[in-house]
Amino acid sequence: MYAYIVRRLLLIIPTLFGIMVINFAVVQVLPGGPVEQMIAQLTGEAIDVTARVGGEAGSEVAAGKRTQVTGKQAGAPSRYRGAQGLPPELIKDIERQFGLDKPAHERFALMISSYVRFDFGDSFFQDKSVAQLVVDKMPVSISLGLWTTLLVYMISIPLGIAKAVRDGSKFDVWTSGVVVFGNAVPGFLFAILLIVVFAGGRYLDWFPLRGLVSPNFDDLSLLGKIADYFWHMTLPVLSMVIGGFAGLTMLTKNSFLEEINKQYVITARAKGLEERRVLYGHIFRNAMLIVIAGFPAAFIGILFTGAMLTEIIFSLDGLGLLGFEAALKRDFPVMFGTLYFFTLLGLAMGIIGDIMYHVIDPRIDFEAREV
């Protein structure tokens, strides 16, 4: 088992490197980089100034500025969209500011060498380091991921066991309808439905529309703070649970059905053991192996991928919203820094999941597998 863990740890290096290379290469060919973002801001400021000048005098001043800048740049078209009319020296200064004045391979090498030391740099558009931004946004995402994962497991495992024991009954049929609904309705669509019904959209105004806590949170008592926190978390967590419990419920049911029909269960029943003891003393451990061992990966998946749309819809300032805004603004340090860190974390959780397989059932030995 130790040799297997070492091999998996070593495989993290090429896997992580390949993911970073592919994403870095894709981003290089996408339009709307940070230089173009800055050019758009400069152009927008010029338009605002012209509008404030007003009248024919303002138009003449603006026209004079455009003529002067265009004259400086004559015969030197820029490779950036919207850069016409801006001096080439200004474009070079912007490139130097963002570190884009170097070739792509040099920038990638510098980025990886920094990331190996867990130095993710500073955001292009926010006056904070990437690490500080992640730390600031982490509580929101951890809250969503933790409560969603706990509720999904607390609902799915008992429901899956009950469906397996009552396979083919009316209970199984009706609950299957709920599971189908959970699979069919995307979480973000259910979130919008919850807002319309319960957050003052059209019918009821029971829950807040945005934020993790109320503005007067610091003035509340301890019980008031706890109540306010869960009051704000109710709708976002429900919207994520509805899509997460369906798959795990069916996985639990199918695992139990597969174990129920095996020979050791028939033998246990033939010996006169109570059905409850057969179910929870023999079947449960084997059937729950794949479900429980997958908990770390499930938590990471919900935490860093499933919460993005929920955070956007409910205006929760978490990691999902941070990544979404970074992608829109082409904030490369935030994009690649978070990609590196959470990919590394996800790969580590995969190894922990394999270790949990062995812990739950020591008979599973990855070293004993035939190649």
Side-chain angles (χ1 to χ4, degrees):
M1 187 66 182
Y2 293 106
Y4 172 79
I5 294 175
V6 171
R7 287 201 303 269
R8 286 292 303 272
L9 289 173
L10 292 176
L11 279 174
I12 288 179
I13 298 175
T15 303
L16 183 60
F17 183 80
I19 292 173
M20 296 301 297
V21 168
I22 293 173
N23 283 274
F24 186 85
V26 169
V27 168
Q28 301 311 304
V29 300
L30 294 178
V35 176
E36 292 181 351
Q37 296 279 345
M38 182 62 70
I39 290 172
Q41 292 181 15
L42 293 174
T43 305
E45 290 175 1
I47 293 174
D48 290 340
V49 169
T50 304
R52 284 196 296 267
V53 172
E56 296 180 359
S59 301
E60 291 175 1
V61 171
K65 288 184 178 180
R66 284 194 297 268
T67 303
Q68 182 181 4
V69 172
T70 305
K72 290 181 179 180
Q73 196 189 350
S78 175
R79 61 191 179 95
Y80 298 107
R81 294 188 304 176
Q84 290 76 14
L86 295 178
E89 294 80 8
L90 178 60
I91 302 299
K92 292 180 180 179
D93 289 340
I94 296 175
E95 289 180 334
R96 193 177 301 109
Q97 175 186 349
F98 291 120
L100 300 176
D101 55 330
K102 301 179 180 66
H105 64 279
E106 291 186 16
R107 288 187 278 116
F108 181 78
L110 290 172
M111 181 183 71
I112 292 297
S113 63
S114 298
Y115 287 1
V116 169
R117 303 189 304 269
F118 289 94
D119 178 13
F120 302 116
D122 299 325
S123 169
F124 282 162
F125 303 103
Q126 301 186 56
D127 191 20
K128 287 184 179 180
S129 65
V130 175
Q132 185 61 48
L133 285 172
V134 171
V135 171
D136 291 343
K137 314 298 184 183
M138 188 74 78
V140 175
S141 295
I142 288 180
S143 295
L144 286 174
L146 180 63
W147 293 118
T148 300
T149 305
L150 289 177
L151 285 176
V152 164
Y153 271 75
M154 289 173 62
I155 294 172
S156 300
I157 293 178
L159 181 59
I161 295 173
K163 286 176 64 62
V165 174
R166 300 172 177 82
D167 185 40
S169 66
K170 291 183 179 180
F171 173 82
D172 183 38
V173 174
W174 283 105
T175 53
S176 294
V178 178
V179 171
V180 170
F181 175 80
N183 269 325
V185 179
F188 72 91
L189 188 60
F190 191 69
I192 296 174
L193 176 64
L194 290 175
I195 290 175
V196 172
V197 177
F198 297 108
R202 178 172 295 181
Y203 301 100
L204 304 173
D205 191 8
W206 290 354
F207 296 95
L209 182 60
R210 61 180 62 201
L212 189 62
V213 293
S214 300
N216 63 335
F217 181 78
D218 294 333
D219 300 330
L220 300 176
S221 63
L222 178 59
L223 292 178
K225 290 180 178 179
I226 295 174
D228 183 76
Y229 167 77
F230 284 106
W231 184 45
H232 283 76
M233 290 297 298
T234 299
L235 295 187
V237 170
L238 280 178
S239 67
M240 296 179 65
V241 167
I242 191 66
F245 90 98
L248 187 60
T249 298
M250 295 308 299
L251 177 63
T252 303
K253 176 189 175 182
N254 294 334
S255 297
F256 264 78
L257 285 177
E258 183 179 356
E259 295 295 325
I260 285 174
N261 297 321
K262 288 187 176 180
Q263 185 63 42
Y264 74 90
V265 178
I266 299 174
T267 303
R269 287 171 175 167
K271 290 181 178 180
L273 294 179
E274 296 180 356
E275 186 66 22
R276 185 177 183 84
R277 186 175 178 185
V278 173
L279 183 64
Y280 293 101
H282 293 75
I283 300 176
F284 185 83
R285 181 177 181 180
N286 295 326
M288 285 294 97
L289 176 63
I290 189 173
V291 176
I292 298 175
F295 180 85
F299 176 70
I300 294 298
I302 293 174
L303 182 61
F304 300 122
T305 59
M308 185 185 74
L309 289 176
T310 302
E311 291 179 7
I312 295 172
I313 293 172
F314 289 97
S315 299
L316 297 174
D317 197 11
L319 294 173
L321 188 59
L322 174 66
F324 176 73
E325 292 177 347
L328 289 181
K329 296 178 180 179
R330 302 295 193 270
D331 196 344
F332 291 160
V334 177
M335 290 174 59
F336 292 118
T338 53
L339 174 67
Y340 178 90
F341 177 74
F342 294 124
T343 301
L344 181 62
L345 185 61
L347 293 172
M349 287 298 104
I351 298 176
I352 293 176
D354 289 345
I355 295 174
M356 288 188 65
Y357 276 111
H358 181 73
V359 171
I360 295 173
D361 190 351
R363 295 173 299 175
I364 297 178
D365 186 4
F366 294 99
E367 287 296 323
R369 294 183 304 173
E370 296 183 1
V371 179

